Amino acid sequence: AEGICYRLWTKGQEGALPAFPPAEIETADLTGLALELALWGAADLPFLTPPPAGPLAEARALLHDLGALDQQGRITDHGKAMARLPLHPRLAHMLLRAGEGAAPLAALIADRDPLTGAPADLSLRLKALADARAYMRDHSFPVRRETLDRVRQEAKRLARLAPADQGLDPAEMAALAYPDRIGLRRKGEAPRYLLSGGRGAVFDAADPLAQTRLIVATDLDGDPREARIRLALPIAESALRALFPELIHWEDACEWSSRDNRVLAKTRERLGALVLAERPWNAPPEARARAALDGFRALGIAQSMT
């Protein structure tokens, strides 16, 4: 109808805008959908808008890591138990593995942030959830009371659906839900992290967790290059070793270092993309020769020699 339209962008920007916003399935987290498809026994359905192949494959890989799918992509008994819970698959896995003690954390992560303007430390939210008065006595960040009330009610409901408590602390619980978001601080002044899934993440420089060596990020802003960490918990390396002994392994690496312009041979202890420890490796001459040749090619020396 006739009227006035206020566009909050310039004419130049308007020409570059898409005609329509993307379908929700093209931007949404597909982990829940992948679990439902596996539960139905359907690898695919004739969607009006098919889910993007890359994100769907990542969702299935995560479900496999959580024990919800087997090597053939079929749903496991654990996956069926996860599907019965009214939670994102990450949090369902956490609740089943950690027990009823994880119910408050699951309810908290599933809802909106109950604190306004607080640092990223998720333990502040747990403290406010446990005792709002004590929290407000010690901290000045405003509390959304209605959110806390809603989270408490949901936590009670989830606790009734969970197995017995396994005695894990909140960071260990979070690591179960986010095994791909365990972060190791990179070298340097900036609080930049490499996540176990291979992606990068960064804290605000003033955040109290910015100097922490190991963290579990439970909320990221979605930037594909280097996401900003909005919520996280610090975690001890000993806790990771106890939780994921089957995922931590040593591997030998002999490669050309472009920074040092020489061959480096090391054996590294890895958790996904993270290097927890490393030591020199006496690599065989063949491995050193291959690494040197890669370096010569990178420098353009091998080509000029031919």
Side-chain angles (χ1 to χ4, degrees), residues 18 37 60 114 154 206 243 255 260 298:
L37 290 174
R60 285 173 171 152
E154 180 65 2
L243 283 173
E255 54 200 12
D260 299 318

Side-chain angles (χ1 to χ4, degrees), residues 94-107 154-168 173:
M94 178 183 75
L95 191 66
L96 290 171
R97 288 287 187 254
E100 61 183 337
L105 182 61
E154 180 65 2
K156 290 178 182 177
R157 184 171 79 102
L158 293 176
R160 292 193 292 268
L161 302 174
D165 184 56
Q166 297 300 303
L168 301 181
M173 297 173 188

Side-chain angles (χ1 to χ4, degrees), residues 203-267:
F203 274 118
D204 286 327
D207 196 283
L209 290 182
Q211 300 302 317
T212 307
R213 178 173 178 262
L214 284 163
I215 55 105
V216 182
T218 62
D219 188 22
L220 303 170
D221 72 357
D223 190 310
R225 292 186 302 170
E226 190 170 58
R228 189 159 296 277
I229 303 168
R230 294 190 290 215
L231 289 174
L233 283 166
I235 190 166
E237 186 174 319
S238 58
L240 294 178
R241 293 184 182 279
L243 283 173
F244 306 114
E246 73 286 355
L247 299 182
I248 297 175
H249 63 281
W250 287 90
E251 68 176 28
D252 298 327
C254 185
E255 54 200 12
W256 180 264
S257 169
S258 57
R259 185 178 64 181
D260 299 318
N261 278 335
R262 64 188 182 94
V263 173
L264 294 181
K266 295 183 180 292
T267 182

Side-chain angles (χ1 to χ4, degrees), residues 13-286:
Q13 289 174 312
E14 184 169 349
L17 294 176
F20 304 98
E24 183 180 358
I25 200 170
E26 295 178 320
T27 59
D29 182 336
L30 300 180
T31 315
L33 172 64
L35 183 60
E36 286 294 323
L37 290 174
L39 183 64
W40 299 338
D44 266 318
L45 291 177
F47 291 97
L48 184 64
T49 302
L56 185 58
E58 289 180 7
R60 285 173 171 152
L62 173 61
L63 290 174
H64 176 266
D65 291 345
L66 297 178
L69 302 181
D70 63 18
Q71 293 289 350
Q72 288 72 43
R74 296 186 298 258
I75 194 165
T76 62
D77 290 341
H78 180 59
K80 291 175 183 176
M82 287 167 57
R84 287 193 291 269
L85 291 174
L87 287 167
H88 186 282
R90 288 184 184 272
L91 302 179
H93 170 73
M94 178 183 75
L95 191 66
L96 290 171
R97 288 287 187 254
E100 61 183 337
L105 182 61
L108 188 61
I109 293 175
D111 211 308
R112 66 181 297 195
D113 190 349
L115 303 186
T116 302
D121 193 346
L122 193 54
S123 63
L124 293 174
R125 282 82 179 165
L126 289 168
K127 182 175 181 180
L129 186 64
D131 189 338
R133 289 185 179 179
Y135 167 82
M136 289 188 289
R137 196 166 54 240
D138 299 333
H139 304 281
S140 59
F141 307 106
V143 176
R144 297 187 179 99
R145 292 284 197 142
E146 68 283 358
T147 302
L148 284 182
D149 292 340
R150 189 169 59 244
V151 169
R152 288 192 188 99
Q153 290 302 314
E154 180 65 2
K156 290 178 182 177
R157 184 171 79 102
L158 293 176
R160 292 193 292 268
L161 302 174
D165 184 56
Q166 297 300 303
L168 301 181
D169 67 32
E172 293 168 328
M173 297 173 188
L176 289 173
Y178 299 92
D180 55 329
R181 293 194 197 167
I182 298 164
L184 178 65
R185 198 180 192 279
R186 300 180 191 263
K187 294 178 181 178
E189 294 296 322
R192 300 173 60 240
Y193 286 76
L194 175 64
L195 303 182
S196 50
R199 297 184 178 179
V202 62
F203 274 118
D204 286 327
D207 196 283
L209 290 182
Q211 300 302 317
T212 307
R213 178 173 178 262
L214 284 163
I215 55 105
V216 182
T218 62
D219 188 22
L220 303 170
D221 72 357
D223 190 310
R225 292 186 302 170
E226 190 170 58
R228 189 159 296 277
I229 303 168
R230 294 190 290 215
L231 289 174
L233 283 166
I235 190 166
E237 186 174 319
S238 58
L240 294 178
R241 293 184 182 279
L243 283 173
F244 306 114
E246 73 286 355
L247 299 182
I248 297 175
H249 63 281
W250 287 90
E251 68 176 28
D252 298 327
C254 185
E255 54 200 12
W256 180 264
S257 169
S258 57
R259 185 178 64 181
D260 299 318
N261 278 335
R262 64 188 182 94
V263 173
L264 294 181
K266 295 183 180 292
T267 182
R268 294 170 176 146
E269 188 180 29
R270 305 189 74 103
L271 172 60
L274 308 184
V275 176
L276 299 178
E278 66 178 18
R279 57 193 183 212
W281 173 45
N282 187 20
E286 297 82 4

